[in-house]
Amino acid sequence: MRLIDQILAPENLRAAWEEVAAKKGAPGIDGVSISRWRRNWEERLVNMAAAVRTNTYKPSPLERFTIPKRDGSLRHLTNLTVTDRVLQRAVLRVLDDLFDRHFLDCSYGYRQGRGVRDAVRAILRYRDEGRQWVLDADIDECFDSLDHELLMAFVREEVDDPIVLRLIEQWLWIGRRNPEVARGVPMGAVISPLLCNIYLHRLDLGLVGRGYALVRYADDFCVFCRKRTEAEAAWKDTEQVLAQIRLRLEPNKTAITSFDEGFDFLGVHFYRNTYSFLAAGKRIEVKGEFDETLFYDYVPEGYE
């Protein structure tokens, strides 16, 4: 069965709609709410599938807004129409299985059966192995900087269905912050986390292939080393790998630190043999080994 047939299968479209409805969310630029979409959802799914097959589907413009981050900078977010969210969710449900099997164990964000708790467990394992030095890295405007030419080349390694490729290209086009620059995926779009993982899979391959202990959650990542000199080498190697995929580190937000100095990752503070985080307004601190009972409902800021 072709990819597009899997995506537009009635059971997949219905599941995608139910997932979007469960997440609720505000109406998009067309003003159509979840409750209004629900009134004739079956007819909407049929019409949406027909539009995709006849190449008459066009994504709606994105509603854009910004929110402040804790460091004082701004996070650029978008809101899609319910229709576009449902179709992106239907595509995601199929492509996620296709790509996830190729991703490396060092990747934890927006993946099936993985999450913050698994990333924290890995970090504590590296700590206990004696990897006390940390390259705490930040990619400069990662989501806004993903190169469309490279991204589509990476997607085509697994996807050859022309209709699916056209859909992704349409979403990339409508998601450009600058129409003249073919870069960036919109934060807030359903498909964007998968596209980010597809792109940064090349970072994983480059660093793990060089023997580094990497923990990455979407565009946040740390490299764990036994010596400071190894962390310094990791910084240089990371710059080289990112340059190959047309990205760069944010020098003011990238640093070499250690468990003795303490550092934050995904809102979790690691210091020597303890880690702590805020949950429901309360700070939880744990000493020693990983606590299996934690993090199941924890979502770091900016990853809702």
Side-chain angles (χ1 to χ4, degrees):
M1 182 185 292
R2 296 185 309 165
L3 274 180
I4 193 60
D5 294 328
Q6 297 177 49
I7 291 167
L8 299 181
E11 60 273 17
N12 187 59
L13 289 180
R14 177 170 183 162
W17 152 241
E18 290 174 347
E19 290 172 8
V20 169
K23 288 181 176 291
K24 301 180 180 179
I29 201 167
D30 62 356
V32 177
S33 64
I34 291 288
S35 59
R36 182 176 166 188
W37 218 90
R38 182 180 284 111
R39 295 173 195 167
N40 58 335
W41 65 268
E42 292 173 299
E43 180 184 353
R44 288 181 184 275
L45 291 181
V46 170
N47 292 340
M48 184 174 65
V52 171
R53 291 191 186 278
T54 58
N55 195 26
T56 57
Y57 162 80
K58 294 187 183 302
S60 298
L62 305 182
E63 188 177 48
R64 298 181 183 273
F65 57 100
T66 58
I67 60 173
K69 294 194 286 188
R70 289 182 179 178
D71 62 7
S73 61
L74 294 177
R75 187 184 304 277
H76 302 284
L77 299 176
T78 59
N79 186 35
L80 282 65
T81 64
V82 178
T83 297
D84 289 338
R85 280 186 302 214
V86 171
L87 184 54
Q88 287 197 13
R89 178 66 62 179
V91 172
L92 177 65
R93 286 174 53 82
V94 174
L95 293 194
D96 201 29
D97 289 336
L98 188 64
F99 283 96
D100 192 80
R101 62 190 178 187
H102 298 293
F103 294 155
L104 302 188
D105 287 342
C106 61
S107 171
Y108 295 92
Y110 301 109
R111 293 190 58 192
Q112 304 169 22
R114 296 181 142 230
V116 174
R117 66 181 183 274
D118 306 293
V120 171
R121 182 188 291 112
I123 290 171
L124 298 182
R125 184 178 72 249
Y126 290 139
R127 179 200 67 187
D128 295 342
E129 289 175 357
R131 301 178 187 272
Q132 294 290 313
W133 289 94
V134 183
L135 172 63
D136 184 4
D138 185 275
I139 300 174
D140 186 29
E141 297 289 339
C142 181
F143 273 70
D144 287 335
S145 300
L146 302 186
D147 184 272
H148 290 181
E149 179 185 15
L150 283 182
L151 177 55
M152 289 307 302
F154 300 152
V155 170
R156 288 189 184 95
E157 291 179 5
E158 296 296 326
V159 176
D160 60 3
D161 189 305
I163 299 178
V164 178
L165 292 172
R166 184 172 67 238
L167 286 174
I168 296 173
E169 288 173 338
Q170 285 180 300
W171 291 329
L172 290 178
W173 172 264
I174 205 73
R176 294 183 185 186
R177 288 180 62 197
N178 182 344
E180 304 300 320
V181 181
R183 299 178 76 88
V185 296
M187 293 189 71
V190 175
I191 200 72
S192 290
L194 174 61
L195 296 179
C196 180
N197 273 336
I198 291 170
Y199 202 99
L200 295 184
H201 177 56
R202 272 62 195 178
L203 173 65
D204 300 344
L205 291 172
L207 293 181
V208 172
R210 287 167 167 80
Y212 289 113
L214 171 67
V215 173
R216 181 176 65 79
Y217 192 103
D219 58 329
D220 288 336
F221 68 97
C222 289
V223 182
F224 298 87
C225 305
R226 297 184 186 277
K227 299 179 180 179
R228 182 182 179 90
T229 53
E230 182 186 351
E232 292 169 350
W235 190 325
K236 293 180 180 179
D237 285 340
T238 300
E239 288 180 323
Q240 292 176 1
V241 174
L242 287 177
Q244 293 170 2
I245 54 175
R246 303 171 189 173
L247 296 175
R248 66 186 184 91
L249 290 172
E250 166 53 77
N252 296 322
K253 297 181 180 180
T254 299
I256 293 174
T257 183
S258 68
F259 283 94
D260 283 339
E261 296 176 27
F263 64 97
D264 295 298
F265 185 69
L266 302 176
V268 181
H269 183 68
F270 298 89
Y271 178 68
R272 295 183 177 173
N273 71 332
T274 69
Y275 60 96
S276 61
F277 62 100
L278 283 174
K282 298 180 180 179
R283 177 154 293 278
I284 298 174
E285 182 173 304
V286 182
K287 292 186 178 181
E289 299 180 354
F290 179 74
D291 187 338
E292 289 280 354
T293 65
L294 300 177
F295 298 108
Y296 283 93
D297 297 321
Y298 172 77
V299 179
E301 181 188 22
Y303 290 98
E304 291 80 3

